[in-house]
Amino acid sequence: MKFVYILVVLLYATNIYGQVEIVSEEMLTQKIKHSDKEYKLICIFCNYCTGVEHRYSEVVKEARNNKNMEAFFICAQDGGEIAQNDSFEKMGMNVYLINQLRKRKLISFYNPIKAAAKYLKTYLGVDSEEMGASAFCILDKENKVIVQTNWKMEDDEYFRTMKVGLQSGTK
């Protein structure tokens, strides 16, 4: 009986926490563009900005309630930094690590938020110039932007935009 109990706990525990996947930019682009969901939510994840961490939990909660939407949390931080931080596990969603093959320098001014925004512009054609940590966009089936947030938005406007965009995914 203990064996069955342990097996059940392990099966359900693996679905509770999110996973970190290291992917190439091209691979992630294909995954996003060929998603069978009608809408795709793409959110920039970076645990450097503690002032916006509360936004992630709301985005995750709302995204889970939309059966017509697939969420992609992208992050361009070093894999080691993410492994040491359990923020992604608290979210309970997959986080896709990109830009992991770049050259590391002893002294670097690398900005993972800008790197994630550059990915969105280069590979998906999203105008991401003002996107920052926790900013997201929602794409439709043709991969066109429906709504988008930026770093300048106050929480009220951010959550209002999120609700409007996520309502698209419930149609």
Side-chain angles (χ1 to χ4, degrees):
M1 188 62 181
K2 284 184 182 180
F3 177 76
V4 173
Y5 177 72
I6 291 171
L7 184 61
V8 169
V9 169
L10 287 176
L11 285 174
Y12 287 103
T14 57
N15 293 326
I16 293 173
Y17 295 108
Q19 297 179 11
V20 175
E21 291 184 42
I22 298 175
V23 296
S24 70
E25 286 79 359
E26 295 82 9
M27 182 187 237
L28 181 58
T29 302
Q30 291 305 313
K31 189 171 186 144
I32 292 170
K33 286 185 174 182
H34 294 100
S35 170
D36 60 346
K37 300 289 185 174
E38 191 171 346
Y39 299 97
K40 289 132 313 196
L41 179 137
I42 304 166
C43 185
I44 297 177
F45 177 77
C46 183
N47 59 13
Y48 287 173
C49 297
T50 56
V52 295
E53 280 185 354
H54 64 283
R55 290 180 173 184
Y56 293 121
S57 59
E58 276 300 309
V59 172
V60 168
K61 185 175 78 174
E62 293 294 330
R64 280 194 177 141
N65 293 333
N66 285 280
K67 302 299 178 205
N68 296 329
M69 183 176 293
E70 186 169 357
F72 297 90
F73 287 83
I74 60 170
C75 179
Q77 287 177 246
D78 288 335
E81 293 174 1
I82 293 297
Q84 294 172 358
N85 191 310
D86 65 349
S87 295
F88 71 92
E89 287 185 3
K90 292 176 186 172
M91 290 179 8
M93 298 289 277
N94 287 352
V95 175
Y96 298 94
L97 289 182
I98 58 171
N99 206 22
Q100 297 301 299
L101 298 177
R102 70 183 183 282
K103 289 185 179 182
R104 303 320 200 262
K105 297 178 183 175
L106 186 58
I107 298 174
S108 174
F109 298 105
Y110 176 74
N111 184 330
I113 299 169
K114 284 186 180 178
K118 183 178 177 182
Y119 162 78
L120 289 173
K121 184 173 181 93
T122 305
Y123 289 90
L124 296 171
V126 175
D127 180 17
S128 57
E129 191 170 316
E130 293 184 347
M131 291 182 79
S134 81
F136 69 85
C137 61
I138 297 177
L139 307 179
D140 63 11
K141 191 72 173 168
E142 288 80 39
N143 298 306
K144 304 288 185 222
V145 176
I146 298 173
V147 295
Q148 183 174 348
T149 61
N150 61 53
W151 65 269
K152 295 178 182 179
M153 289 182 165
E154 296 291 329
D155 282 348
D156 291 344
E157 183 182 4
Y158 177 90
F159 290 119
R160 192 171 41 254
T161 303
M162 179 181 70
K163 297 258 188 248
V164 168
L166 292 175
Q167 285 174 354
S168 300
T170 58
K171 291 180 181 175

